[in-house]
Amino acid sequence: FLLGGADASELMDRLFPCRVDDLEPGRARYVLALDEAGYVMDDGLICALEGGRYYLTSTSGGADRMEAWLRNWADRWGLRALVLGQTSMLGAINVAGPNARELLQRVSGDDLSPAALGYARHREVSVAGVPCRAIRVGFVGEVSFELHHPRASGVRLWEALREAGKD
C-alpha cells in the first residue's frame, strides 16, 4: 500500500504498536497489525518515503482485510490519510541466504552493499532490468531482500535470478 496525506504519519502511529513518526525516508520497520482486542491480525513492513508518505506491506492473503482496516480507521478518526492498494499490481520475491547480496549484485548495476542497503533499509533499484523496491529484511534468519516489482515482470525477474544463481 502507498499511504499519504497530511495525517498519514498519525494514522500509522495510532494503528501500529511501535513508533512510525521517527522513521526517516529510506528506513523500514517490522509492524504488527492488532485488532481491537489486541490480537495479531497481520504483520508487514512499513517503509518511510519522502514527503511524509509510506509504503506498507502485509501478508498477501491479508491484503484486502488490511486495506479495509486502514481505510476504516482513517475514516473513523477523520484523518486526512489516503490509502492506495497495490497488491494486484505488484509481486514480491524474497532472495535470502548467505549469498543473497552477491546474487543480486550479479544482476544489478546498483550499489547493494551494506552501506547502501543495510538492515531495515529500502530503496529503488533495478534488478535484471526490472525496477524493484528492495527492502533489506531478515525474517528467515539470514541476509534477505524483498524485491517488490511490477507483477508483469515477475517471471522475467525470477528467471534472471535463477540463471544468475545456478552456481
Side-chain angles (χ1 to χ4, degrees):
F1 306 96
L2 284 178
L3 293 107
D7 298 328
S9 182
E10 183 178 348
L11 177 64
M12 299 294 95
D13 268 334
R14 285 186 181 192
L15 286 178
F16 298 110
C18 65
R19 287 194 60 194
V20 174
D21 67 346
D22 65 343
L23 270 180
E24 298 172 9
R27 297 288 301 186
R29 185 168 287 151
Y30 177 71
V31 293
L32 294 174
L34 306 176
D35 67 14
E36 290 177 341
Y39 292 101
V40 175
M41 57 179 243
D42 208 338
D43 69 340
L45 295 164
I46 189 155
C47 302
L49 304 171
E50 295 291 335
R53 297 175 308 123
Y54 298 92
Y55 180 83
L56 175 69
T57 72
S58 68
T59 58
S60 299
D64 290 340
R65 182 174 52 169
M66 177 70 86
E67 183 173 2
W69 183 71
L70 291 164
R71 290 179 188 278
N72 176 51
W73 283 108
D75 288 345
R76 275 190 194 189
W77 290 325
L79 297 176
R80 296 167 296 160
L82 305 172
V83 178
L84 175 64
Q86 296 185 296
T87 303
S88 64
M89 300 182 311
L90 298 176
I93 295 174
N94 190 4
V95 179
N99 299 319
R101 192 180 306 272
E102 178 188 341
L103 171 63
L104 288 178
Q105 203 61 77
R106 290 179 182 182
V107 290
S108 178
D110 292 306
D111 183 1
L112 302 172
S113 68
L117 189 57
Y119 181 73
R121 295 200 174 274
H122 66 94
R123 62 186 280 229
E124 294 289 331
V125 299
S126 177
V127 179
V130 176
C132 299
R133 174 171 306 283
I135 309 170
R136 172 61 178 87
V137 294
F139 303 126
V140 297
E142 298 270 4
V143 172
S144 60
F145 300 86
E146 283 194 11
L147 302 176
H148 295 230
H149 57 277
R151 186 172 145 192
S153 300
V155 172
R156 180 166 53 108
L157 178 59
W158 180 258
E159 291 300 327
L161 290 166
R162 284 190 47 179
E163 182 65 29
K166 275 187 176 180
D167 63 338

